[in-house]
Amino acid sequence: MDKTININLAGTLFQIDEEAYRILRDWLQAINNRFRNVHGGLETIEDIESRIAEIFQSQKGLAGVITKENVEAMISIIGKPEDFDHTESEVDSSIYTTQRKRMYRNPDDSVISGVCGGIGAYLNTDPVLFWILKEDGLSYIEPHHGTRQ
Amino acid sequence: MDLENTKAQMRKGILEYCILSVLSRNSCYASDIIKVLKEAEVIVVEGTLYPLLTRQKNAGLLSYRWEESQQGPPRKYYELTEDGRTYLTDLDKSWQELVESVNLIRTR
């Protein structure tokens, strides 16, 4: 019996097996590192998240469990950050200087209904990381021991 | 000198122009744009495109509307704004001049 994890991508729920999840998480982290300090980068991360959901859905529909092969196929379509030709150098300086420390629910960042985005903005960290931590947390609270279909 | 790097630099210079050019015909979903750019071999992976679209949108050259999709989350359909059209017209002219300049040098 393989452990599966439920994840939310652009408002769509997917079941993913543990190995696939690790690959997806590392890749998302790399994407996030690449764009988080770039002006408009959060929107780019959201666009990519939507595209991942679309690719997974075309691979599996909504019922199947996402496997390593699915994740690798998706990554070969979207690419790894080091394969993105265009190098962005515009760093959004407001991220470092002007943000006030206030907790809020971020409506522009829909990863887990904005809550993680809000916590991320508060701690000056990235939503994806929190999104991952939240998923990890969930799997402790209610482990998803699913079987492959 | 690294040939691949030089080629990448050349592609990089024309990519923004190519995106606007694709959108000059009709509004497109990002994957439609990617398909055209991939066929023309100016782009390798999809991830290259998304930051450029966001930047062009923020610069006022593009706008987008949401459309529901059967295959997943709603999609952004991009189109040129008036400013985008003017910008593209300038780039068309500039591209033409570049081609002529390079040809002049090569055939000297």
Side-chain angles (χ1 to χ4, degrees):
Chain A
M1 199 184 264
D2 293 310
K3 189 181 166 194
T4 62
I5 296 156
N6 290 332
I7 56 168
N8 180 336
L9 288 170
T12 311
L13 278 172
F14 293 95
Q15 265 198 311
I16 182 166
D17 75 34
E18 227 178 343
E19 188 185 14
Y21 173 73
R22 273 197 297 272
I23 299 167
L24 177 66
R25 183 190 59 191
D26 292 347
W27 177 77
L28 275 173
Q29 190 57 61
I31 294 279
N32 195 51
N33 289 343
R34 169 67 187 261
F35 291 118
R36 67 179 164 187
N37 293 334
V38 170
H39 186 71
L42 214 62
E43 188 171 351
T44 300
I45 293 170
E46 281 174 15
D47 288 344
I48 291 175
E49 187 187 337
S50 288
R51 181 69 180 134
I52 303 166
E54 188 173 81
I55 292 170
F56 282 167
Q57 202 163 326
S58 71
Q59 288 170 334
K60 284 286 174 182
L62 287 171
V65 176
I66 304 295
T67 61
K68 181 184 166 199
E69 287 71 30
N70 297 131
V71 173
E72 283 171 347
M74 180 279 291
I75 291 174
S76 75
I77 294 169
I78 299 181
K80 292 181 176 160
E82 59 266 31
D83 303 327
F84 301 169
D85 272 348
H86 218 83
T87 46
E88 286 283 353
S89 53
E90 285 177 65
V91 170
D92 187 351
S93 58
S94 69
I95 286 174
Y96 299 109
T97 53
T98 58
Q99 271 190 1
R100 289 174 54 204
K101 292 275 181 194
R102 239 185 90 199
M103 193 78 107
Y104 63 103
R105 191 169 175 277
N106 186 352
D108 297 330
D109 180 11
S110 61
V111 183
I112 308 268
S113 51
V115 175
C116 294
I119 298 169
Y122 176 72
L123 294 172
N124 209 4
T125 330
D126 53 89
V128 175
L129 184 65
F130 275 93
W131 166 78
I132 288 161
L133 290 176
K134 180 154 180 172
E135 289 309 323
D136 277 340
L138 276 181
S139 66
Y140 288 115
I141 299 159
E142 34 175 355
H144 304 286
H145 291 290
T147 44
R148 277 180 211 262
Q149 292 170 3
Chain B
M1 290 297 280
D2 178 350
L3 179 62
E4 282 313 307
N5 184 45
T6 307
K7 278 155 79 173
Q9 293 293 328
M10 285 170 101
R11 275 202 304 269
K12 186 174 140 183
I14 58 165
L15 205 47
E16 298 195 31
Y17 173 42
C18 290
I19 295 167
L20 297 177
S21 201
V22 171
L23 287 168
S24 69
R25 291 181 283 276
N26 46 308
S27 67
C28 288
Y29 168 55
S31 289
D32 301 332
I33 306 170
I34 286 157
K35 205 169 151 230
V36 178
L37 299 179
K38 267 191 174 170
E39 277 169 14
E41 295 182 7
V42 290
I43 207 174
V44 183
V45 289
E46 291 192 3
T48 307
L49 185 71
Y50 293 103
L52 290 175
L53 286 173
T54 304
R55 221 166 62 175
Q56 291 183 326
K57 190 261 296 171
N58 289 342
L61 304 180
L62 307 179
S63 61
Y64 67 81
R65 61 174 196 279
W66 290 102
E67 277 192 21
E68 289 299 323
S69 158
Q70 299 300 310
Q71 284 103 50
R75 293 172 162 186
K76 280 180 184 171
Y77 275 78
Y78 288 91
E79 60 190 3
L80 290 186
T81 60
E82 271 313 304
D83 281 356
R85 293 209 173 270
T86 313
Y87 198 90
L88 177 60
T89 309
D90 281 353
L91 286 182
D92 276 333
K93 195 164 156 270
S94 167
W95 173 249
Q96 208 48 53
E97 286 164 3
L98 262 177
V99 171
E100 282 163 21
S101 304
V102 172
N103 276 340
L104 200 74
I105 292 162
R106 290 179 63 209
T107 55
R108 234 173 101 97

